[in-house]
């Protein structure tokens, strides 16, 4: 992981709360927060497929969706009708194959319901997702955080602490790339290492001839990675199958692994597992 220079404090809860959080986190070897400066860049797609890929490789993996206002994980895994059971005290994550999944979407009665929560309430819910969910022993916990640097990313990064790593997703357009700087600075202030940057929707591979068309500007990810001293983990092309699979709840990495986007994604997963601890 590319470790950034320390440039700020990492406030954490004290007392009994802190001990409970610490005990829950002690069972999770690697914590990855997938974040982005903007919405719609493919952050949830990356989080879901990364978690599935890790589980497929035999890592004990959990996927936590803390996008409280727009949880996409249940839809992307076709788990909209699922609700977590409890052991009387704690929630049992919903299972997708071997993957353990938790999302606020499972707790809403109506998927169209708007969540209107102020900061402290959001912080409480996110903390409960760590302490009141039976994650068990995990090799990886992948967190799908909402875009930007608001309450939710702040809360999860403070809870997970500097042992966690950030995977930042962007697209090649300058307007999206501009926000990468904010995400990197956010991690820096929280002393959270940045595992790397993923440039998504990076060129279109013609399904007939295989030619790559740079629909947006090219090379933005590389330039940004260089500017901030972080690794460019990969460039995932625009692939209609990724969009279709997301809508149908069938993560593309499971069955489209042999396409240009699938191979690129597998390469990214290899770099991520190479950066941290293993099984
Ligand atoms: P975010 O979490 O950043 O808001 P999503 O992961 O929900 O973004 O992706 C937004 C939309 O773009 C979804 O419909 C998703 O299927 C689609 N998408 C993401 N990445 C790609 C890609 N590389 N090629 C085609 N469609 C993509």
């Amino acid at each position: 992981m590319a470790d950034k220079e320390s440039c700020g404090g990492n406030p954490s809860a004290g007392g009994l709360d802190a001990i409970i959080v610490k005990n829950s986190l002690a069972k999770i070897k690697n914590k990855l927060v997938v974040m982005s400066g903007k919405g719609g860049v493919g952050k949830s797609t990356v989080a879901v497929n990364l978690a599935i890929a890790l589980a497929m490789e035999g890592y004990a993996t959990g996927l936590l969706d803390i996008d409280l206002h727009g949880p996409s994980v249940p839809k992307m895994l076709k788990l909209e009708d699922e609700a977590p059971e409890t052991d009387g005290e704690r929630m049992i994550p919903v299972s997708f194959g071997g993957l353990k999944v938790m999302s606020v979407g499972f707790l809403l009665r109506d998927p169209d319901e708007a969540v209107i929560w102020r900061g402290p309430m959001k912080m409480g819910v996110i903390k409960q997702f760590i302490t009141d969910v039976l994650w068990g022993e995990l090799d990886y916990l992948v967190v799908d955080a909402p875009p930007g640097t608001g309450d939710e990313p702040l809360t999860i990064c403070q809870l997970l602490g500097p042992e966690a790593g950030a995977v930042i997703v962007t697209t090649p357009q300058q307007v999206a790339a501009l926000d990468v700087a904010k995400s990197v600075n956010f991690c820096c202030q929280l002393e959270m290492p940045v595992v790397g940057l993923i440039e998504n929707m990076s060129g279109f591979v013609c399904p007939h001839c295989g030619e790559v068309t740079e629909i947006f500007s090219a090379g933005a990810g590389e330039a940004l990675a260089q500017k901030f001293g972080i690794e460019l983990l990969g460039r995932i092309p625009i692939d209609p199958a990724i969009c279709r699979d997301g809508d149908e709840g069938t993560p593309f990495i499971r069955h489209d692994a042999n396409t240009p986007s699938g191979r690129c994604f597998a390469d990214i997963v290899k770099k991520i597992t190479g950066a941290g601890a293993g099984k």
Side-chain angles (χ1 to χ4, degrees):
M1 287 183 191
D3 214 331
K4 301 294 292 179
E5 286 296 308
S6 159
C7 52
N10 182 22
S12 57
L16 185 60
D17 259 11
I19 295 169
I20 296 172
V21 169
K22 199 174 163 199
N23 288 345
S24 307
L25 292 176
K27 296 186 193 144
I28 305 171
K29 276 196 213 161
N30 297 283
K31 298 120 187 154
L32 296 169
V33 182
V34 183
M35 55 174 73
S36 67
K38 276 215 181 307
V41 299
K43 173 189 49 60
S44 296
T45 304
V46 165
V48 165
N49 284 283
L50 172 60
I52 297 278
L54 290 168
M56 279 166 59
E57 295 215 350
Y59 292 104
T61 308
L63 172 62
L64 172 58
D65 174 10
I66 59 157
D67 196 337
L68 304 182
H69 298 285
S72 333
V73 167
K75 166 87 182 153
M76 286 186 170
L77 294 176
K78 218 183 196 167
L79 296 174
E80 299 108 305
D81 297 329
E82 299 292 328
E85 295 184 356
T86 71
D87 72 341
E89 274 183 28
R90 292 196 282 173
M91 284 185 282
I92 301 167
V94 172
S95 176
F96 183 90
L99 179 68
K100 296 176 178 178
V101 188
M102 184 52 68
S103 166
V104 76
F106 295 144
L107 309 178
L108 302 175
R109 278 157 300 169
D110 172 1
D112 297 332
E113 196 177 325
V115 172
I116 305 172
W117 286 336
R118 293 192 189 279
M121 237 172 133
K122 291 183 192 175
M123 283 146 75
V125 169
I126 292 169
K127 195 165 82 192
Q128 278 187 294
F129 277 147
I130 297 294
T131 56
D132 296 356
V133 172
L134 276 171
W135 291 109
E137 304 273 342
L138 290 182
D139 293 313
Y140 283 94
L141 178 67
V142 178
V143 180
D144 181 12
T149 52
D151 285 327
E152 297 91 326
L154 180 63
T155 304
I156 195 71
C157 292
Q158 286 182 333
L159 279 173
L160 297 181
E163 272 182 28
V167 174
I168 301 176
V169 183
T170 188
T171 52
Q173 300 101 313
Q174 293 291 326
V175 274
L178 270 177
D179 288 323
V180 170
K182 290 187 190 134
S183 297
V184 174
N185 283 327
F186 172 82
C187 293
C188 185
Q189 282 181 33
L190 296 174
E191 299 180 4
M192 178 182 269
V194 177
V195 178
L197 179 69
I198 296 176
E199 187 182 285
N200 188 31
M201 306 191 196
S202 180
F204 174 72
V205 184
C206 172
H208 304 294
C209 67
E211 190 187 335
V212 179
T213 308
E214 299 289 355
I215 293 176
F216 309 122
S217 51
E222 244 149 354
L224 282 163
Q226 221 166 18
K227 179 174 170 193
F228 295 110
I230 55 180
E231 184 178 3
L232 180 66
L233 295 167
R235 302 173 67 214
I236 308 172
I238 296 171
D239 181 347
I242 294 183
C243 189
R244 184 201 59 221
D245 292 346
D247 285 349
E248 290 179 357
T250 54
F252 83 97
I253 198 67
R254 266 190 150 185
H255 50 89
D256 288 323
N258 228 354
T259 59
S261 42
R263 282 192 292 273
C264 170
F265 204 84
D267 202 42
I268 290 172
V269 175
K270 216 182 281 171
K271 285 183 187 163
I272 291 174
T273 51
K279 286 180 220 181

